[in-house]
Amino acid sequence: MCAHIVLAEDDEKQAELVRRYLERERHTVVVVGDGRAAIDTVRASRPDLLVLDVMMPKVDGLDVIRVLRSESDVLVLMLTARSTEDDLLLGLDLGADDYMTKPFSPRELVARVRTLLRRGRRAAEPDELLRVGPIVIDPGRHIVTSDGRRVECTPGEFLLLETLAGQPDRVFTRQQLLARLHGFDRYITDRTIDVHVMNLRKKIEPDPRRPVRLVTVYGVGYKLTAEERP
């Protein structure tokens, strides 16, 4: 999946390293060194993804996200040396799609980029149905069916189920699900995730007390699977 990517990073060595790894994946990469240039380049070239360092000269990375989210739905992967939860959640709340804390592995960054681009492709094709066993999700029409019957979901439940169905059998940690839902509900907590899961099981499981579809992986998180093992 080749993409047009803008990399906003003022550390030249870091930018060169990330650029090389992304270009190995056959992406086209444009490097800019400050926040003002990041805004101008995204406006001019309409890239698939912006990889954005938060600590940028001229315009702070968080302000870049704030400006772009008022006019663009470009995917944003935030790079930050700020390790406090407040800073990370602020970036996600402003509209970043994912984040990585420095220092990071370039190989992990490439994997995150790959995941974001897949997510963006699905969003651009809203008629594509997500199927996991007997569960079918229509993102464009916001419809869920299970065993052929319509399932009514709250917006939070739908977003959680859509996230899990986008990568069947992948285990999502609570923190990853929190990050996905945070832009929807600024007051979301670990307990909110558990409540959504409990309610979804009542709607999609043959026996909610013995879930075989929306499964807990103890000590890690949750996954949605088509293999209904007791």
Side-chain angles (χ1 to χ4, degrees):
M1 185 191 307
C2 302
H4 173 38
I5 298 174
V6 173
L7 170 60
E9 170 62 76
D10 63 325
D11 183 323
E12 293 184 4
K13 290 184 178 180
Q14 182 77 45
E16 178 61 19
L17 177 64
V18 172
R19 183 189 64 78
R20 288 204 308 268
Y21 270 83
L22 291 174
E23 287 183 345
R24 287 176 189 172
E25 296 287 303
R26 301 183 182 276
H27 300 307
T28 301
V29 182
V30 176
V31 179
V32 296
D34 64 74
R36 178 74 260 173
I39 293 171
D40 292 342
T41 304
V42 169
R43 284 173 170 168
S45 63
R46 301 178 62 84
D48 300 295
L49 172 69
L50 170 63
V51 180
L52 175 67
D53 183 17
V54 170
M55 301 293 290
M56 294 285 285
K58 297 188 179 180
V59 180
D60 182 86
L62 294 176
D63 288 328
V64 171
I65 298 172
R66 186 179 288 108
V67 169
L68 291 177
R69 272 296 167 261
S70 68
E71 59 190 54
S72 170
D73 59 358
V74 62
L75 294 167
V76 178
L77 173 59
M78 182 173 64
L79 309 178
T80 177
R82 299 171 175 175
S83 58
T84 68
E85 185 180 69
D86 287 346
D87 287 325
L88 296 177
L89 292 180
L90 176 58
L92 293 169
D93 196 31
L94 288 172
D97 297 279
D98 199 358
Y99 70 86
M100 297 187 68
T101 303
K102 294 181 177 181
F104 54 81
S105 160
R107 292 177 63 186
E108 182 183 356
L109 182 141
V110 168
R112 295 281 191 96
V113 166
R114 192 179 300 125
T115 299
L116 281 174
L117 290 172
R118 281 199 299 264
R119 183 193 305 172
R121 181 181 63 180
R122 287 197 300 272
E125 300 172 357
D127 294 331
E128 180 181 350
L129 301 180
L130 301 176
R131 301 177 186 272
V132 183
I135 300 167
V136 181
I137 301 171
D138 185 337
R141 296 193 296 162
H142 209 276
I143 292 174
V144 177
T145 59
S146 180
D147 299 298
R149 59 181 176 79
R150 178 81 170 261
V151 174
E152 297 298 331
C153 294
T154 67
E157 290 167 2
F158 185 90
L159 186 56
L160 179 63
L161 191 61
E162 182 185 17
T163 299
L164 295 168
Q167 298 182 64
D169 292 308
R170 173 186 166 179
V171 180
F172 286 83
T173 67
R174 281 184 175 82
Q175 289 303 313
Q176 288 170 328
L177 294 173
L178 281 170
R180 181 71 178 95
L181 270 65
H182 189 268
F184 165 76
D185 181 356
R186 70 177 63 242
Y187 302 110
I188 197 167
T189 66
D190 283 7
R191 180 59 183 158
T192 308
I193 297 292
D194 294 337
V195 170
H196 283 334
V197 168
M198 179 181 67
N199 289 335
L200 282 169
R201 283 172 171 164
K202 293 177 182 178
K203 299 172 181 181
I204 66 172
E205 292 283 0
D207 182 353
R209 296 170 299 176
R210 298 178 178 83
V212 293
R213 297 172 180 174
L214 206 175
V215 180
T216 301
V217 179
Y218 290 100
V220 185
Y222 298 105
K223 68 177 180 177
L224 191 67
T225 180
E227 298 181 12
E228 300 186 9
R229 297 178 180 176

